[in-house]
Amino acid sequence: MWSFSGISNSIHEWLSQTFNPTLTIIIEMVIAGVAVIGLFAGLGLVLVIMERKVSAWMQIRLGPNRVGPKGMFQSLADTLKLLVKEGLTPTGADKLLFNLAPFIAMIVAMLLMAPIAFAKDFQLWDLNIGVLYVSAISSMMVISILMAGWASNNKYSLMGAMRSGAQIVSYELSAGLSVLSIVVLTGSLRVSDIIQSQADGWWIFKGHIPAVIAFVTFIIAVTAETNRAPFDLAEAESELTAGFHTEYSGMKFALFFLAEYVNVFIVCAIGATLFLGGWMPFHIGHWAGFNHVMDYIPSSLWFFGKTFFLIFVIMWFRWTFPRLRIDQLLNLEWKYLLPISMVNLLLVTAMAILKWHF
Amino acid sequence: MFIVKYIKDVWNAVRSLLKGMRRTGYYFTHHKEIITQQYPDNKDTLHLPERFKGEVVMLHDENNEHLCTGCTACELACPNATIKIITKFDITPDGKKKKAIDKFVYHLELCTMCNLCIIACPTDAIKMAQTFEHSVFDRSELTKILNKPGSKIKEGVE
């Protein structure tokens, strides 16, 4: 199977021959940073137009269809509009925190990119606690939301931020527990190990029903964690105008918007890595011929295909379900998802000890 | 028994959510269901629903006769004084005086298209038309007189 390591190794060799080791590391970091920022911009454009088209078709509408072929450049036009808009800071706001919050949101999203394997041997940082790192960093997202809500000096913003805090803190639990069930099956927190363990079949198939339950709880929990409908209480436009970003405008608003979409991409990428095998092609047990044919499809296509499938599912949720009330939201987590995922984790552990999985 | 109810709740919730997703999934894959009208582009082939309410018009037949008796039921039914009926007295051939409408004044700028006047009308003299391009340069053009000049009430309508 072709991999990216050839190109990256030759670049690394050329850099280390030309420059001293420190400079090499710095240049490589800059390359990685530029690549991540480029990916962010691309993702923002693609996901916004995807969301608008998906929502339109689900609501029997046409969606954007004027800018470019079939409206595909609509998000470019939107970006241009947001760039030229004035980024207003309210007089009563805490200037420093108000202007810092969108950047914290972006930095958290960027940090989360590090352990994601986009293709075979195409990963920024394959650290040995990859999954733990992701759950630790993703819970920092709430800081930027609380900061924005508090600094805005606005009741709607503060209310949205507080709701968001309650929501993220509670849903971290069931997301963490369903991630743990895959860690139990794999026996490793390293992302590359988790992907390698799925070479003979993805965990969602190998793990029987408990893995499916873990997958469903994971999807529900990450939908809540990324503040998307039906759990978009932090924004809740019919109640709180726009929640924590009521006071934001122009590019600062766009950064929050972009961070939301990048977070959706990241959690879907994590879900695809844990349950659907990341870049691993679809393999069935020991069918050598079938597996060989599947290997011809590039690994990056597998990864992006699975990730975008999960993104589509989350968008499908958004445009189908009505928003939950705050008490219903917390009921769902504490009375249903948490007990279910705890029992499920017990089942998975028993399964892993007794070697019932394939 | 508590646990049975708990499981039943989860099951019913999942089932109803999946039902909703099936519906939106159907719409997502069936683009011919799209109901959007691309208005200025399809001006010639525009299809408006039967119950679309554009403005109030008075029906006139080929002899320039309408069905309005001037009973002011529509004027009383109107919640925001859109309709004003000015009556006059016609002299019938046998010398009697008969009440008839002089002007049926309709303020389109005040109308909310609530359809109450059409429901109130005992003789079905007025109805909602499907026209909707009402923009004008002067506000006074929106005050309309619905009965055509020289029109009179149809024979036999009381």
Side-chain angles (χ1 to χ4, degrees), chain A residues 60 65-66 316 320 335, chain B residues 6 21 24 33 35 38 41:
Chain A
I60 350 178
N65 59 351
R66 296 291 146 140
W316 196 354
T320 306
K335 287 192 182 168
Chain B
Y6 183 88
M21 284 179 74
T24 43
E33 301 257 344
I35 53 169
Q38 303 201 49
D41 296 349

Side-chain angles (χ1 to χ4, degrees), chain A residues 53-54 56-63 65-66 312-313 316-317 319-322 335-337 339-340, chain B residues 6 9-10 16-18 20-31 33-38 41:
Chain A
K53 273 295 188 191
V54 167
W57 286 334
M58 282 188 179
Q59 298 173 337
I60 350 178
R61 293 185 288 115
L62 282 167
N65 59 351
R66 296 291 146 140
F312 172 72
V313 169
W316 196 354
F317 288 167
W319 298 107
T320 306
F321 303 147
K335 287 192 182 168
Y336 293 93
L337 283 187
I340 288 173
Chain B
Y6 183 88
D9 275 358
V10 173
S16 66
L17 290 179
L18 286 180
M21 284 179 74
R22 219 178 81 191
R23 180 86 314 228
T24 43
Y26 173 81
Y27 285 143
F28 182 76
T29 45
H30 291 69
H31 291 185
E33 301 257 344
I34 288 174
I35 53 169
T36 307
Q37 303 264 342
Q38 303 201 49
D41 296 349

Side-chain angles (χ1 to χ4, degrees), chain A residues 52-99:
Chain A
R52 295 187 64 175
K53 273 295 188 191
V54 167
S55 71
W57 286 334
M58 282 188 179
Q59 298 173 337
I60 350 178
R61 293 185 288 115
L62 282 167
N65 59 351
R66 296 291 146 140
V67 190
K70 299 219 163 205
M72 285 304 148
F73 298 144
Q74 180 67 45
S75 40
L76 272 178
D78 286 348
T79 315
L80 197 68
K81 183 204 78 174
L82 284 168
L83 273 173
V84 297
K85 266 178 115 174
E86 184 188 3
L88 198 79
T89 309
T91 328
D94 187 328
K95 295 267 179 325
L96 175 69
L97 292 187
F98 185 84
N99 291 313

